[in-house]
């Protein structure tokens, strides 16, 4: 089993709708979870991090963590064309962070 | 704002050349990382450092070495570049290992001919 798994996409979502991105991880000891956004040709930038079970909201973004199911998700409300990017899920393993391969999100105008 | 800079955005080298990639961060972060990113393979950790003169191997250290003589600077060295090292190289820094978010530099796209 891969350490951090994401559906590669592309995930196509109409403008104004909710985009839902999912990630599963294998290490039950992981305690830190991150979502990065990466535009084509650019470097990843952090948009959300979550440490505790439940939801964390920041503007249009909500991160959800379920440690029992080893599942992290990112919801983007009122999706905009500028949200079109690759979203990387990252999880700590010991003293490192392991990245998923990312999900490509395409917001349809 | 945290700023991580890398010495070059684009670099073209020949097989067998010695290549230096430089990374500097201005936020007094303890930890610095070098990744490479390839289509279909995602981000892969090459080396990281949690203190000056300290280094740890990541998942793919073969063919690479690193140097950290000052806290703000972390260099990646390709001793003898090969075509399979053509890639996007990303440097990152963080305040603490794993529990704190990593901030990335703009990346260096290296082509080895």
């Amino acid at each position: 089993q891969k350490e951090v798994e994401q559906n590669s996409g592309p995930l196509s979502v109409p403008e104004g709708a909710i985009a839902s991105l999912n990630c599963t991880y294998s290490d039950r000891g992981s305690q830190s979870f991150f979502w990065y956004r990466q535009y084509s040709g650019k470097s990843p930038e952090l948009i959300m991090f979550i440490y505790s079970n439940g939801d964390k909201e920041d503007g249009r973004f909500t991160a959800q963590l379920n440690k029992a199911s080893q599942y992290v998700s990112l919801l983007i409300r009122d999706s905009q064309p500028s949200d079109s990017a690759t979203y990387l899920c990252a999880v700590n393993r010991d003293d490192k962070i392991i990245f998923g391969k990312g999900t490509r999100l395409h917001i349809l105008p | 704002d945290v700023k991580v800079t890398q010495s070059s955005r684009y670099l073209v080298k020949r097989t067998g050349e010695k290549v230096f990639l430089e990374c500097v961060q201005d936020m007094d972060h303890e930890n610095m990382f070098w990744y490479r990113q390839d289509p279909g393979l995602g981000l892969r950790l090459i080396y990281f450092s949690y203190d000056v003169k300290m280094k740890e191997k990541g998942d793919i250290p073969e063919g690479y070495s690193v140097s950290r003589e000052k806290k703000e600077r972390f260099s990646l060295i390709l001793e003898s570049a090969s075509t399979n090292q053509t890639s996007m190289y990303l440097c990152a820094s963080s305040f603490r290992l794993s529990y704190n978010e990593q901030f990335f530099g703009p990346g260096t796209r290296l082509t080895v001919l």
Side-chain angles (χ1 to χ4, degrees):
Chain A
Q1 184 187 3
K2 295 177 185 172
E3 292 193 72
V4 180
E5 289 204 65
Q6 298 180 256
N7 189 316
S8 62
L11 175 66
S12 295
V13 173
E15 184 175 356
I18 296 175
S20 177
L21 303 162
N22 305 313
C23 171
T24 57
Y25 61 95
S26 60
D27 185 356
R28 285 198 170 273
S30 296
Q31 299 184 39
S32 308
F33 307 87
F34 307 88
W35 282 101
Y36 285 81
R37 177 177 62 202
Q38 186 173 24
Y39 292 115
S40 181
K42 303 292 187 182
S43 57
E45 58 176 325
L46 182 76
I47 52 172
M48 291 285 288
F49 62 89
I50 186 167
Y51 301 138
S52 306
N53 265 337
D55 295 1
K56 179 181 178 182
E57 188 174 317
D58 184 2
R60 296 187 296 113
F61 298 95
T62 299
Q64 298 176 318
L65 174 61
N66 184 324
K67 287 188 176 181
S69 301
Q70 295 175 246
Y71 179 91
V72 192
S73 64
L74 178 70
L75 301 178
I76 307 174
R77 288 181 300 281
D78 188 24
S79 296
Q80 302 296 309
S82 60
D83 295 325
S84 296
T86 296
Y87 290 79
L88 306 176
C89 172
V91 175
N92 82 295
R93 179 193 72 194
D94 299 325
D95 54 4
K96 300 174 193 172
I97 289 180
I98 307 301
F99 288 84
K101 293 182 181 179
T103 298
R104 280 187 297 136
L105 175 65
H106 182 48
I107 306 301
L108 303 169
Chain B
D1 278 353
V2 176
K3 191 160 187 184
V4 181
T5 58
Q6 295 183 230
S7 49
S8 306
R9 286 288 280 128
Y10 300 94
L11 207 54
V12 179
K13 295 291 182 181
R14 298 223 173 259
T15 301
E17 282 192 78
K18 191 168 186 175
V19 182
F20 293 87
L21 302 181
E22 300 279 325
C23 175
V24 178
Q25 50 94 3
D26 67 356
M27 282 300 293
D28 202 34
H29 281 174
E30 303 292 330
N31 311 297
M32 298 187 74
F33 308 81
W34 275 107
Y35 295 90
R36 63 179 283 178
Q37 188 174 32
D38 302 286
L41 297 177
L43 274 165
R44 293 182 290 166
L45 181 64
I46 304 171
Y47 268 97
F48 67 101
S49 169
Y50 53 87
D51 201 355
V52 175
K53 296 192 185 295
M54 305 300 288
K55 61 184 179 184
E56 293 284 343
K57 291 180 180 180
D59 298 316
I60 52 162
E62 297 79 18
Y64 303 93
S65 61
V66 290
S67 172
R68 193 165 180 202
E69 296 297 318
K70 294 185 177 182
K71 190 176 185 179
E72 68 271 17
R73 190 179 298 268
F74 192 35
S75 302
L76 179 70
I77 303 155
L78 287 66
E79 296 289 343
S80 177
S82 63
T83 55
N84 63 11
Q85 292 178 310
T86 292
S87 186
M88 170 67 87
Y89 289 88
L90 290 160
C91 175
S93 72
S94 72
F95 179 56
R96 287 187 301 165
L97 285 174
S98 79
Y99 291 94
N100 277 71
E101 58 268 36
Q102 294 183 11
F103 296 90
F104 284 84
T108 296
R109 185 164 293 281
L110 173 67
T111 301
V112 182
L113 301 176

